[in-house]
Amino acid sequence: MLLKAILINLLLLGVYCTLITTGAAPADRGFSIAIAGGICIAMHVVINIIAGLILLVMGKDEIAKALLISGGILAPVGFVSWLILLSIFG
C-alpha cells in the first residue's frame, strides 16, 4: 500500500508539473511555474497530510501511514522539482 501511494502521488506531481509547464505561454512560463506550481505542490502535500490524519483518527492505520509518509516524501521532492523547473524556465 505504501509503495502504491508514493507512486500515485509522484505520478500526479509529474502530471501537473508537465501540464503547468506546457500549458503556459513561453513569455509567462516562469511566472506560471512559480505561482501555480508552488500552490499545487503545497496543496498536494497538505491534502495528503490532512487525509492521513483523518484516516488515522478513523482507525485505518495502514492507509493513513501510507498517506502521511507519501506527504513527507512529496514535500522535498516537489520542492526540488519546483526549483529545478523554475531555474530552467524562470
Side-chain angles (χ1 to χ4, degrees):
M1 186 65 176
L2 175 63
L3 185 61
K4 190 186 293 187
I6 291 171
L7 289 176
I8 289 172
N9 279 309
L10 290 177
L11 180 66
L12 284 174
L13 173 72
V15 167
Y16 63 72
C17 283
T18 303
L19 288 175
I20 290 170
T21 304
T22 58
D28 298 330
R29 196 165 284 156
F31 182 73
S32 295
I33 291 170
I35 300 301
I39 290 172
C40 286
I41 292 168
M43 284 177 40
H44 195 156
V45 171
V46 168
I47 288 171
N48 271 321
I49 292 173
I50 290 174
L53 290 174
I54 290 172
L55 289 171
L56 192 64
V57 169
M58 290 173 55
K60 299 183 180 194
D61 293 336
E62 184 181 351
I63 300 171
K65 289 178 186 176
L67 284 176
L68 289 172
I69 291 171
S70 180
I73 290 172
L74 193 66
V77 171
F79 180 70
V80 169
S81 66
W82 178 73
L83 283 178
I84 290 171
L85 286 173
L86 199 53
S87 68
I88 292 171
F89 296 111

